[in-house]
PDB file of all heavy atoms in Angstrom:
ATOM      1  N   ASN A  15     -71.921 138.474 231.410  1.00 97.00           N
ATOM      2  CA  ASN A  15     -71.378 137.151 231.140  1.00 97.00           C
ATOM      3  C   ASN A  15     -70.280 137.230 230.079  1.00 97.00           C
ATOM      4  O   ASN A  15     -69.221 136.612 230.225  1.00 97.00           O
ATOM      5  CB  ASN A  15     -72.490 136.208 230.682  1.00 97.00           C
ATOM      6  CG  ASN A  15     -71.992 134.810 230.443  1.00 97.00           C
ATOM      7  OD1 ASN A  15     -71.342 134.215 231.300  1.00 97.00           O
ATOM      8  ND2 ASN A  15     -72.278 134.265 229.280  1.00 97.00           N
ATOM      9  N   MET A  19     -66.262 136.268 230.486  1.00 96.00           N
ATOM     10  CA  MET A  19     -65.549 135.349 229.592  1.00 96.00           C
ATOM     11  C   MET A  19     -64.328 136.039 228.974  1.00 96.00           C
ATOM     12  O   MET A  19     -63.272 135.427 228.821  1.00 96.00           O
ATOM     13  CB  MET A  19     -66.485 134.827 228.502  1.00 96.00           C
ATOM     14  CG  MET A  19     -67.569 133.909 229.037  1.00 96.00           C
ATOM     15  SD  MET A  19     -68.732 133.384 227.765  1.00 96.00           S
ATOM     16  CE  MET A  19     -67.714 132.212 226.855  1.00 96.00           C
ATOM     17  N   ALA A 103     -72.566 139.217 220.840  1.00 97.00           N
ATOM     18  CA  ALA A 103     -72.047 138.176 221.725  1.00 97.00           C
ATOM     19  C   ALA A 103     -73.055 137.750 222.799  1.00 97.00           C
ATOM     20  O   ALA A 103     -72.777 137.818 223.988  1.00 97.00           O
ATOM     21  CB  ALA A 103     -70.743 138.650 222.359  1.00 97.00           C
ATOM     22  N   ARG A 104     -74.199 137.276 222.372  1.00 94.00           N
ATOM     23  CA  ARG A 104     -75.222 136.837 223.312  1.00 94.00           C
ATOM     24  C   ARG A 104     -75.126 135.335 223.578  1.00 94.00           C
ATOM     25  O   ARG A 104     -75.671 134.843 224.546  1.00 94.00           O
ATOM     26  CB  ARG A 104     -76.609 137.195 222.772  1.00 94.00           C
ATOM     27  CG  ARG A 104     -76.781 138.710 222.611  1.00 94.00           C
ATOM     28  CD  ARG A 104     -78.166 139.119 222.215  1.00 94.00           C
ATOM     29  NE  ARG A 104     -79.187 138.777 223.166  1.00 94.00           N
ATOM     30  CZ  ARG A 104     -79.409 139.372 224.341  1.00 94.00           C
ATOM     31  NH1 ARG A 104     -78.627 140.359 224.715  1.00 94.00           N
ATOM     32  NH2 ARG A 104     -80.380 138.988 225.116  1.00 94.00           N
ATOM     33  N   ASP A 105     -74.429 134.611 222.729  1.00 94.00           N
ATOM     34  CA  ASP A 105     -74.333 133.159 222.811  1.00 94.00           C
ATOM     35  C   ASP A 105     -72.915 132.773 223.242  1.00 94.00           C
ATOM     36  O   ASP A 105     -71.943 133.182 222.614  1.00 94.00           O
ATOM     37  CB  ASP A 105     -74.668 132.575 221.433  1.00 94.00           C
ATOM     38  CG  ASP A 105     -74.566 131.081 221.385  1.00 94.00           C
ATOM     39  OD1 ASP A 105     -73.436 130.562 221.378  1.00 94.00           O
ATOM     40  OD2 ASP A 105     -75.623 130.427 221.347  1.00 94.00           O
ATOM     41  N   GLU A 106     -72.799 131.973 224.313  1.00 95.00           N
ATOM     42  CA  GLU A 106     -71.483 131.607 224.852  1.00 95.00           C
ATOM     43  C   GLU A 106     -70.609 130.905 223.825  1.00 95.00           C
ATOM     44  O   GLU A 106     -69.407 131.156 223.756  1.00 95.00           O
ATOM     45  CB  GLU A 106     -71.635 130.735 226.099  1.00 95.00           C
ATOM     46  CG  GLU A 106     -72.058 131.519 227.313  1.00 95.00           C
ATOM     47  CD  GLU A 106     -71.996 130.711 228.598  1.00 95.00           C
ATOM     48  OE1 GLU A 106     -71.295 129.684 228.647  1.00 95.00           O
ATOM     49  OE2 GLU A 106     -72.650 131.143 229.570  1.00 95.00           O
ATOM     50  N   GLU A 107     -71.192 130.033 223.028  1.00 96.00           N
ATOM     51  CA  GLU A 107     -70.406 129.310 222.026  1.00 96.00           C
ATOM     52  C   GLU A 107     -69.818 130.274 220.991  1.00 96.00           C
ATOM     53  O   GLU A 107     -68.666 130.125 220.582  1.00 96.00           O
ATOM     54  CB  GLU A 107     -71.268 128.251 221.332  1.00 96.00           C
ATOM     55  CG  GLU A 107     -70.455 127.307 220.469  1.00 96.00           C
ATOM     56  CD  GLU A 107     -71.277 126.134 219.979  1.00 96.00           C
ATOM     57  OE1 GLU A 107     -72.158 125.643 220.718  1.00 96.00           O
ATOM     58  OE2 GLU A 107     -71.023 125.720 218.837  1.00 96.00           O
ATOM     59  N   LYS A 108     -70.603 131.259 220.597  1.00 95.00           N
ATOM     60  CA  LYS A 108     -70.109 132.291 219.662  1.00 95.00           C
ATOM     61  C   LYS A 108     -68.923 133.048 220.267  1.00 95.00           C
ATOM     62  O   LYS A 108     -67.958 133.337 219.586  1.00 95.00           O
ATOM     63  CB  LYS A 108     -71.230 133.289 219.356  1.00 95.00           C
ATOM     64  CG  LYS A 108     -71.925 133.120 218.062  1.00 95.00           C
ATOM     65  CD  LYS A 108     -72.890 134.285 217.910  1.00 95.00           C
ATOM     66  CE  LYS A 108     -73.300 134.460 216.476  1.00 95.00           C
ATOM     67  NZ  LYS A 108     -74.276 135.524 216.306  1.00 95.00           N
ATOM     68  N   ILE A 109     -69.053 133.359 221.549  1.00 97.00           N
ATOM     69  CA  ILE A 109     -67.982 134.092 222.242  1.00 97.00           C
ATOM     70  C   ILE A 109     -66.716 133.239 222.286  1.00 97.00           C
ATOM     71  O   ILE A 109     -65.625 133.713 221.975  1.00 97.00           O
ATOM     72  CB  ILE A 109     -68.414 134.489 223.668  1.00 97.00           C
ATOM     73  CG1 ILE A 109     -69.617 135.441 223.622  1.00 97.00           C
ATOM     74  CG2 ILE A 109     -67.250 135.121 224.437  1.00 97.00           C
ATOM     75  CD1 ILE A 109     -70.310 135.637 224.951  1.00 97.00           C
ATOM     76  N   ILE A 110     -66.862 131.983 222.652  1.00 95.00           N
ATOM     77  CA  ILE A 110     -65.709 131.069 222.722  1.00 95.00           C
ATOM     78  C   ILE A 110     -65.018 130.981 221.364  1.00 95.00           C
ATOM     79  O   ILE A 110     -63.794 131.103 221.273  1.00 95.00           O
ATOM     80  CB  ILE A 110     -66.149 129.673 223.215  1.00 95.00           C
ATOM     81  CG1 ILE A 110     -66.556 129.752 224.690  1.00 95.00           C
ATOM     82  CG2 ILE A 110     -65.037 128.637 223.013  1.00 95.00           C
ATOM     83  CD1 ILE A 110     -67.311 128.531 225.204  1.00 95.00           C
ATOM     84  N   ASN A 111     -65.793 130.783 220.299  1.00 95.00           N
ATOM     85  CA  ASN A 111     -65.220 130.690 218.956  1.00 95.00           C
ATOM     86  C   ASN A 111     -64.545 131.990 218.535  1.00 95.00           C
ATOM     87  O   ASN A 111     -63.493 131.980 217.908  1.00 95.00           O
ATOM     88  CB  ASN A 111     -66.291 130.288 217.934  1.00 95.00           C
ATOM     89  CG  ASN A 111     -66.717 128.856 218.094  1.00 95.00           C
ATOM     90  OD1 ASN A 111     -65.971 128.009 218.589  1.00 95.00           O
ATOM     91  ND2 ASN A 111     -67.945 128.542 217.702  1.00 95.00           N
TER      92      ASN A 111
END
Side-chain angles (χ1 to χ4, degrees):
N15 182 52
M19 292 176 73
R104 298 186 62 74
D105 178 286
E106 285 189 20
E107 190 170 325
K108 259 185 161 177
I109 297 167
I110 291 166
N111 289 334

